[in-house]
Amino acid sequence: MPLVRVATPLTFSGSQAPLGQQCIDLASTIETFAPPLAQFENLYKDIHQHPELSCSEARTSSIIADRLQDLGFDVRQSIGGHGVVGVLQNGPGKVVMLRAELDALPIQEQTGLSFSSTKRMADMWGRDQPVMHACGHDMHMACLIAAAKLLHDARSAWAGTLEVLFQPNEEHTGGAQSMIDDGLYEKIPKPDVVMAQHLMQIPSGTLSIKSGPVLVSADTVKLRVFSSEGHAANPQVSVEISVVVSKIVLRLQDLVKEVSKDGYASIHVEELHIGAPGLDWVEYADVVLDVKAYDPSLRSRLLDGINGIVEDESTASGAAKKPCITSSVRAPLTNNDGHLAGRVGQVFADFFGADKVLQELPSHPCEDFSILARAVQSPYVFWFLGRVHPEDLERARRDGNVLDKIPIEHSAFNAPLIHPTLETGMKALSVAALSFLTEDNTC
Ligand SMILES: [Zn+2]
Ligand SMILES: [Zn+2]
């Protein structure tokens, strides 16, 4: 591996001073201290076989806390639910936070793996559900624990503070805020930089990193639309509420088509409730919408458009009451700091080789990761970790059936290729962290 040289003075927002000229032997540090992967592969398989739903990650967080304690990290548990943070203070220097997620999904696994999950558990509404790590959070945890081991063993080569954070309840995008609300930054030092990675359907052994928006913003909009005066016995004098709601849903799709001309925009009807058994009069209908965009101006056009359409149709139907419309941020835009993404991308290119570092994005998922950085105005970067066998992907691309043959995140068939995904993820986290924790090293 070549010596990694960062010779250009670099700054990134949130930094108080230029980073200055550095000469960092990151590559030999990583190769010297990279641990054997067998124990982390076993950890991955164990967590995969014993997944836990959002807000119920007790076993997983306990295993993670034990591992960090064994490594000598100062461990804080039960933050914002089952959140865990390990802190390794190693003299003066930057504070670097690396983050992974603890939770799994209510999905019946169909991968056929020997260590498949057969687990079932009650979700937060008390419903019995199958459980599967279909989003790859098990691999994220194994990579981060392996990176914690590498960085701990390499502590003679760096100075500063390393924070490894394991967030609960990412799938409902509530866990990051819960950790903040539970006083996260009263328990650990404020990070100078926050970083995380997520699996993606690109070749195992590659990474993808871009500046700017990389994950969509998601808003939840709740509508309550009221019926007009009248009742089921006199339909001729009233407007059927199902017709009003149908018109609204159709016009929302027209709105999406219009806004999409200028960039990605999506409105998904997540829930629709009208009436109840035994009731012949329906007073109102409830609709829950999921609204996604990368561009804040398109997001505003979608939210404004929803308000206009719902009020129009409600008025036109002669509704007895004005509609109730409330919106809340489910996940803010994940908008990578440009300087930081460029810098970490260069570190990856130098370490892994430029041909291993892509600039592709997944199909419009969202995340609450950035809340951990926004809460303390720290810069952040989020990159993607390849998980697919390169030959499988090549064949699917050649045959034009990538969507059929390569499972996406949240698929019951989603199983990352363990090698070299685990090694690449461990080294990506480690080399990115070291690039900040070795800033005072000189040539
Ligand atoms: Zn997910
Ligand atoms: Zn995920």
Side-chain angles (χ1 to χ4, degrees):
M1 290 283 181
L3 191 72
V4 177
R5 181 179 291 272
V6 184
T8 314
L10 295 169
T11 57
F12 58 93
S13 57
S15 173
Q16 296 303 307
L19 297 173
Q21 189 172 42
Q22 301 164 38
C23 184
I24 308 159
D25 193 354
L26 297 182
S28 70
T29 302
I30 296 287
E31 297 310 331
T32 301
F33 294 101
L37 292 174
Q39 64 164 301
F40 304 105
E41 179 175 343
N42 289 339
L43 173 67
Y44 162 69
K45 288 178 175 173
D46 177 63
I47 294 176
H48 184 88
Q49 203 161 17
H50 301 93
E52 292 171 304
L53 291 173
S54 306
C55 302
S56 302
E57 310 96 336
R59 177 185 185 272
T60 310
S61 66
S62 163
I63 288 171
I64 295 294
D66 287 349
R67 291 288 185 127
L68 293 173
Q69 252 145 15
D70 290 347
L71 280 174
F73 281 66
D74 183 9
V75 179
R76 317 291 162 88
Q77 293 178 255
S78 305
I79 306 176
H82 293 290
V84 179
V85 188
V87 179
L88 184 60
Q89 287 184 317
N90 191 30
K94 283 274 190 300
V95 180
V96 174
M97 176 183 282
L98 303 174
R99 173 270 208 175
E101 320 89 318
L102 294 163
D103 55 339
L105 288 156
I107 291 173
Q108 182 72 59
E109 179 162 359
Q110 296 183 59
T111 61
L113 292 169
S114 61
F115 52 94
S116 289
S117 164
T118 55
K119 185 157 178 176
R120 300 187 68 88
M121 68 191 299
D123 66 16
M124 59 177 77
W125 297 278
R127 300 173 301 200
D128 180 57
Q129 299 276 13
V131 194
M132 175 191 175
H133 269 295
C135 202
H137 297 177
D138 45 358
M139 179 59 78
H140 301 170
M141 285 184 263
C143 290
L144 186 49
I145 288 288
K149 164 74 173 157
L150 190 161
L151 292 166
H152 172 270
D153 291 354
R155 62 195 182 284
S156 60
W158 59 270
T161 298
L162 173 67
E163 298 174 337
V164 290
L165 182 145
F166 295 81
Q167 179 198 314
N169 188 24
E170 187 283 322
E171 294 296 355
H172 294 285
T173 55
Q177 190 62 51
S178 299
M179 292 188 80
I180 301 291
D181 293 345
D182 201 13
L184 173 67
Y185 292 121
E186 289 149 31
K187 303 175 203 292
I188 63 167
K190 167 184 173 295
D192 294 306
V193 56
V194 185
M195 299 185 280
Q197 61 187 0
H198 203 293
L199 293 181
M200 177 180 165
Q201 56 272 54
I202 53 178
S204 178
T206 69
L207 299 154
S208 183
I209 184 165
K210 284 189 82 164
S211 63
V214 293
L215 298 168
V216 292
S217 65
D219 293 271
T220 299
V221 180
K222 294 184 177 176
L223 314 174
R224 176 162 286 183
V225 183
F226 292 90
S227 298
S228 60
E229 298 292 351
H231 56 75
N234 294 297
Q236 72 280 7
V237 297
S238 64
V239 177
E240 172 69 38
I241 189 72
S242 62
V243 174
V244 181
V245 170
S246 300
K247 283 184 179 173
I248 288 172
V249 170
L250 288 171
R251 284 187 62 189
L252 290 179
Q253 296 318 301
D254 291 339
L255 171 66
V256 168
K257 271 187 208 149
E258 181 59 32
V259 176
S260 294
K261 289 174 186 166
D262 298 317
Y264 177 79
S266 162
I267 299 176
H268 164 61
V269 178
E270 220 167 59
E271 295 179 40
L272 201 162
H273 304 282
I274 305 177
L279 290 180
D280 61 357
W281 167 240
V282 179
E283 186 188 358
Y284 56 79
D286 285 328
V287 184
V288 180
L289 305 173
D290 191 40
V291 181
K292 289 179 174 170
Y294 287 104
D295 184 327
S297 70
L298 301 191
R299 169 179 176 262
S300 297
R301 281 170 61 189
L302 290 173
L303 295 175
D304 291 347
I306 291 168
N307 273 285
I309 289 168
V310 173
E311 282 173 8
D312 274 4
E313 291 299 336
S314 181
T315 303
S317 73
K321 294 183 194 171
K322 279 179 145 322
C324 297
I325 308 171
T326 60
S327 68
S328 57
V329 175
R330 183 162 75 83
L333 181 70
T334 305
N335 189 14
N336 276 346
D337 179 278
H339 292 294
L340 192 51
R343 171 182 167 150
V344 173
Q346 187 60 51
V347 168
F348 286 165
D350 290 341
F351 182 78
F352 292 102
D355 61 323
K356 302 292 187 199
V357 184
L358 316 176
Q359 289 207 318
E360 295 183 28
L361 293 180
S363 300
H364 325 303
C366 63
E367 261 270 0
D368 62 355
F369 153 77
S370 68
I371 288 173
L372 296 168
R374 289 171 191 268
V376 283
Q377 290 86 48
S378 294
Y380 62 86
V381 63
F382 189 92
W383 66 80
F384 301 95
L385 172 65
R387 60 164 170 79
V388 184
H389 195 299
E391 287 174 15
D392 292 348
L393 190 58
E394 186 55 40
R395 192 179 313 111
R397 281 180 175 158
R398 210 172 42 237
D399 297 344
N401 57 6
V402 172
L403 285 178
D404 288 342
K405 295 292 183 188
I406 308 295
I408 59 170
E409 271 60 39
H410 292 206
S411 161
F413 297 92
N414 183 18
L417 185 68
I418 298 176
H419 303 293
T421 305
L422 176 56
E423 181 179 355
T424 308
M426 171 188 73
K427 289 183 173 175
L429 291 166
S430 302
V431 77
L434 277 177
S435 72
F436 295 97
L437 295 169
T438 56
E439 277 178 13
D440 294 336
N441 289 9
T442 52
C443 299

